Amino acid sequence: MMLVALCIPTGQGERGVLPTLMHLLLVQAWAPDFAYTYSLNGVAWSLSCEVFFYLLFPFIVISLRGRSNKTLAVVGFGLFFIISGAVLATTMIEVNSTVEAVRYTNPLVRLPEFVLGVCAALAMRAGWKPKLWMGFVLLAIAAVGFSVIPGKPAADVWGALFFLAVIVHFAHSDCTRPLKIMQVRPLTYAGEVSFAFYLVHQIVIIHSVQLVGTRSAAGLIAFFVSVSCAVVLHHGVEQLANRAILSRFSNRRG
């Protein structure tokens, strides 16, 4: 998709050697400037965060593995609410573009969301069973938050709590009583191609709007073209690369 973005103008962010190099190395989210963070394929900023999380993942797990559930809760929610509090505080005042970029896309600001998920996973692996009331509390906080402080970046704080409740619930269900609807092939296939859909959708939307304007037709065109491109990317790039990588490393182990 980076190569596609280099060939097809998107009208987003800076273009040139430096933005391309940052995009290639997946460090664009560290730039305190949306012009670089959103360069080329804008949605790829999240990959920049994810690469940072994956690099830290072994150290996070080693540090937290074997800790009590209370410690995991304190670390996970403590770090999340400290950073989220700072993010929410900036929504109450007028900030410059640098602060705006950092509070939304910087990997260090997004890291607590990842740590919170790791803490929840480690607790569940150790036998912790989420209570229904816990999920309702998180959903209630998220609902109140959305109504009191809506819009970005506050919405991402409330969204993190919402998805924590939902993901933990379905993960626990999957380990105990799997829901049959979650095993329906069309849904699982949609999940398999969803990442390719994510990577392609913004570029498709931009060009759909340029083609037909902001009418509802643009949304329909963008959706169906994005789905089609996602399927092609999934089978023509993602699966082929996945098999090649697994084959290479399995041969080394052999």
Side-chain angles (χ1 to χ4, degrees):
M1 285 308 300
M2 186 192 74
L3 294 175
V4 170
L6 283 170
C7 298
I8 302 176
T10 61
Q12 285 197 118
E14 295 285 340
R15 297 182 75 87
V17 175
L18 180 58
T20 301
L21 185 61
M22 294 174 69
H23 200 95
L24 179 64
L25 298 176
L26 291 176
V27 296
Q28 68 270 41
W30 292 97
D33 187 340
F34 283 137
Y36 288 90
T37 302
Y38 294 155
S39 60
L40 301 182
N41 189 10
V43 297
W45 73 265
S46 65
L47 277 71
S48 184
C49 293
E50 289 157 17
V51 164
F52 176 63
F53 300 162
Y54 298 155
L55 289 173
L56 291 183
F57 178 68
F59 306 102
I60 295 173
V61 171
I62 290 172
S63 300
L64 296 176
R65 189 170 50 196
R67 305 287 182 179
S68 67
N69 291 340
K70 180 185 248 185
T71 299
L72 292 173
V74 169
V75 171
F77 283 110
L79 185 60
F80 177 78
F81 284 121
I82 288 172
I83 300 299
S84 296
V87 170
L88 293 174
T90 65
T91 65
M92 310 296 180
I93 58 176
E94 189 172 341
V95 297
N96 58 35
S97 59
T98 298
V99 174
E100 191 175 355
V102 169
R103 72 183 183 183
Y104 183 60
T105 58
N106 187 275
L108 287 175
V109 174
R110 292 290 185 163
L111 181 61
E113 300 170 25
F114 182 73
V115 174
L116 194 56
V118 173
C119 289
L122 289 174
M124 293 183 70
R125 283 177 64 100
W128 172 69
K129 297 180 181 179
K131 303 293 191 298
L132 198 58
W133 66 266
M134 296 177 180
F136 282 126
V137 168
L138 290 176
L139 293 176
I141 295 174
V144 172
F146 274 121
S147 62
V148 175
I149 313 178
K152 291 185 178 294
D156 291 328
V157 173
W158 315 126
L161 296 177
F162 171 83
F163 284 112
L164 175 65
V166 172
I167 291 171
V168 166
H169 170 76
F170 280 108
H172 177 65
S173 174
D174 196 42
C175 293
T176 53
R177 299 188 309 275
L179 297 174
K180 290 184 178 179
I181 191 172
M182 300 301 292
Q183 300 174 354
V184 175
R185 182 54 187 162
L187 288 181
T188 59
Y189 183 74
E192 290 168 0
V193 302
S194 63
F195 191 65
F197 181 92
Y198 171 74
L199 285 181
V200 75
H201 82 280
Q202 190 176 60
I203 290 178
V204 172
I205 289 174
I206 290 171
H207 287 278
S208 297
V209 171
Q210 290 176 351
L211 181 66
V212 299
T214 56
R215 300 194 302 271
S216 58
L220 292 174
I221 292 172
F223 176 76
F224 287 110
V225 172
S226 295
V227 170
S228 301
C229 291
V231 169
V232 172
L233 280 174
H234 175 64
H235 291 283
V237 178
E238 192 173 17
Q239 283 194 335
L240 292 180
N242 188 44
R243 283 196 292 267
I245 292 170
L246 290 177
S247 174
R248 182 179 181 85
F249 283 96
S250 63
N251 288 340
R252 284 187 178 183
R253 286 196 300 268

